[in-house]
Amino acid sequence: MNSPMIGGNNRVVSGMRPTGALHLGHLHGVLDNWNRLQYEYDSFFFVADWHALTTSYDDPTDIEANIREMVIDWLAAGINPSSATIFVQSDIPEHAELHLLLSMITPLGWLERVPSYKDQQEKLKEKDLATYGFLGYPLLQSADILMYRAAHVPVGEDQVAHVELTREVARRFNHLYGRGQEFEKKVKRALKNLGGKNKKVYLAAQKAYQEKGDATDLQAARTLVENHPRLTVADRERLLGNLEGLGRTILVEPDALLTEYPKVPGLDGQKMSKSYGNTIALRDDAETVEKKIKTMPTDPARVRRSDPGDPEKCPVWQLHAVYSDESTKNWVREGCTTAGIGCIDCKRPVIEKIEAQLQPIRERARSYEDNPETVRTVLADGRDRARDIARETMDDVREAMMLEYR
Ligand code: TRP
Ligand code: SF4
């Protein structure tokens, strides 16, 4: 359900590269958050398969399977296709077109300056990432975001620079192309959608502001547009831009919706990450979860059961920090430092908590594995919804850039 927008642009868009089986780090770092957002915002969540290609171009073998598996993990973790629009980036070729058009106006320096460009090249030294596609990674991301005129982009700290770039690109685009001849026509049509009485209020406020600099009624008119239940995002932006005589906001500047999430430690105490091989996957079976936790290293001081330890020096303690309540944590502190409990005892509640969390996810995932048609349908529906918006945006973009002859 794409809920009507109440109180302004209520849309969020976010993507994830299909990197293979998702793990607890993704669950608490991203999916818990998406699960919440999908009921508060008009949410677009997509698989960034072209982004995966920027680093896996030399071996794209797994991308197709990874897309499907990742979507199964999303659905199993609670992402709800009747609340959120779920789709695959490459199903909407408009992303590639917008990326190309934006590349025309994006100074090279803006891309070279994005910190992830040099960082990732350093980190993935075994790959040749001195490619055109990799330099363009954040601009493709800008196209993903601007396509849906999203107000917010829920991401982690590492992606903030990309959202910042997106804002700059949108601003530059609007500045260069914001005053096409079609604008007036489209404003007129949008005004009609606003309705008779509202239209009067709007025009009076606009006149007072633009002719006499009287801003008294401006906010009221703005609120009227923002709260109108039946305007499209495009119409809303047109009317808002027109109200103050700013011309047209073709592409909406988004902001990053930063999420503070618990850093989920991996089995070795480092951040949980596939590249460290220290993950618990969402679809690991009960036995595997138990074995992984049972073999986790603990405070090296606890050689024998009778040796006291220090939770601060133990990766298992970090899992307690995420999963355990105060009384369990007190039990660990007390038991560990006095050798009152053994490490196997200590791991038990963590195993149980994780198992309780994963069991229903695993079960739901199983039903999607058994019914691949369901996943295909979810992605086909998402593609159709996303495409309608993408087409509308591209119509406006082409018109603004005088490319309607094509
Ligand atoms: N670069 C993002 C990441 O690695 C994935 C991504 C691609 C994305 N396009 C996006 C995130 C658009 C938010 C919005 O996590
Ligand atoms: Fe770690 Fe718990 Fe063992 Fe202490 S008792 S070392 S916290 S596993």
Side-chain angles (χ1 to χ4, degrees):
M1 171 202 57
N2 289 328
S3 54
M5 261 140 289
I6 292 162
N9 182 346
N10 183 33
R11 188 170 289 159
V12 301
V13 62
S14 197
M16 214 191 272
R17 281 169 298 144
T19 48
L22 299 189
H23 51 67
L24 289 176
H26 298 108
L27 182 65
H28 302 307
V30 184
L31 296 174
D32 284 348
N33 190 40
W34 287 11
N35 269 330
R36 200 170 35 78
L37 293 172
Q38 67 183 339
Y39 298 113
E40 293 169 22
Y41 293 90
D42 180 21
S43 301
F44 285 72
F45 301 134
F46 70 94
V47 183
D49 56 334
W50 281 334
H51 278 103
L53 208 53
T54 63
T55 50
S56 307
Y57 61 86
D58 55 343
D59 184 12
T61 325
D62 296 333
I63 294 183
E64 184 180 3
N66 286 349
I67 293 172
R68 193 180 50 242
E69 295 308 314
M70 186 163 83
V71 172
I72 290 179
D73 280 338
W74 288 3
L75 298 170
I79 305 303
N80 178 353
S82 49
S83 278
T85 300
I86 303 170
F87 66 101
V88 178
Q89 183 185 41
S90 63
D91 272 344
I92 313 291
E94 282 84 354
H95 288 228
E97 185 183 355
L98 185 56
H99 178 208
L100 176 90
L101 294 179
L102 294 178
S103 78
M104 305 300 168
I105 67 163
T106 305
L108 215 42
W110 288 11
L111 295 173
E112 289 164 340
R113 248 190 281 124
V114 174
S116 58
Y117 179 57
K118 290 237 161 60
D119 290 355
Q120 290 295 102
Q121 281 186 340
E122 277 295 299
K123 231 173 115 188
L124 304 173
K125 269 210 190 78
E126 71 286 0
K127 298 209 167 154
D128 179 5
L129 293 182
T131 58
Y132 182 49
F134 189 68
L135 179 68
Y137 182 111
L139 191 63
L140 178 58
Q141 184 165 350
S142 299
D144 298 337
I145 297 166
L146 297 174
M147 187 68 81
Y148 301 96
R149 297 169 151 135
H152 313 290
V153 188
V155 283
E157 193 68 57
D158 62 319
Q159 298 291 313
V160 170
H162 296 174
V163 179
E164 203 36 60
L165 173 78
T166 304
R167 297 173 62 81
E168 282 172 32
V169 171
R171 207 173 306 145
R172 184 162 164 88
F173 187 97
N174 292 332
H175 176 71
L176 285 169
Y177 308 114
R179 291 186 168 277
Q181 331 95 343
E182 287 295 299
F183 184 48
E184 299 300 323
K185 248 194 241 162
K186 290 199 169 161
V187 165
K188 275 215 181 94
R189 222 181 41 210
L191 274 172
K192 216 186 224 165
N193 293 336
L194 192 62
K197 191 167 153 237
N198 291 338
K199 181 173 158 182
K200 258 197 205 130
V201 176
Y202 175 98
L203 290 175
Q206 183 195 37
K207 195 163 176 210
Y209 180 66
Q210 288 187 18
E211 289 175 12
K212 292 178 249 131
D214 175 2
T216 326
D217 297 325
L218 207 56
Q219 189 50 44
R222 230 183 256 135
T223 310
L224 195 105
V225 171
E226 284 171 352
N227 289 338
H228 195 283
R230 277 180 313 278
L231 288 178
T232 63
V233 175
D235 275 350
R236 184 186 313 275
E237 294 299 338
R238 272 181 203 114
L239 289 178
L240 289 175
N242 182 57
L243 190 59
E244 290 161 67
L246 295 173
R248 173 164 52 156
T249 305
I250 306 155
L251 299 176
V252 176
E253 286 181 43
D255 59 32
L257 203 58
L258 261 182
T259 37
E260 280 302 318
Y261 48 79
K263 272 228 172 68
V264 182
L267 297 165
D268 54 2
Q270 297 186 78
K271 178 180 170 213
M272 189 176 281
S273 159
K274 195 178 164 212
S275 55
Y276 298 147
N278 62 359
T279 64
I280 294 174
L282 297 187
R283 279 184 265 169
D284 276 350
D285 59 34
E287 241 170 85
T288 307
V289 171
E290 177 159 10
K291 193 164 139 226
K292 279 182 174 175
I293 296 174
K294 275 194 170 157
T295 52
M296 273 180 76
T298 60
D299 177 358
R302 296 207 71 181
V303 182
R304 279 173 301 265
R305 164 73 173 73
S306 54
D307 295 328
D310 176 0
E312 298 300 334
K313 294 179 182 149
C314 177
V316 178
W317 174 244
Q318 295 181 50
L319 285 178
H320 276 292
V322 177
Y323 289 107
S324 296
D325 56 23
E326 267 321 300
S327 83
T328 308
K329 284 192 262 188
N330 287 335
W331 170 78
V332 173
R333 260 187 231 108
E334 166 72 21
C336 180
T337 51
T338 61
I341 60 172
C343 291
I344 292 291
D345 305 322
C346 179
K347 289 170 171 178
R348 183 56 49 199
V350 173
I351 294 172
E352 278 165 15
K353 271 278 162 51
I354 292 178
E355 178 51 21
Q357 193 156 49
L358 292 189
Q359 195 264 337
I361 293 180
R362 206 184 288 136
E363 221 157 82
R364 281 195 294 267
R366 170 78 49 80
S367 84
Y368 290 113
E369 288 165 6
D370 293 343
N371 297 289
E373 196 48 44
T374 313
V375 179
R376 272 196 290 275
T377 307
V378 165
L379 292 179
D381 288 350
R383 178 197 60 210
D384 291 348
R385 281 194 250 166
R387 192 174 44 202
D388 285 347
I389 298 171
R391 286 189 173 156
E392 195 184 350
T393 302
M394 290 314 298
D395 281 348
D396 287 352
V397 164
R398 289 191 210 106
E399 183 244 301
M401 293 180 81
M402 301 187 183
L403 298 171
E404 278 177 312
Y405 55 82
R406 52 139 253 158

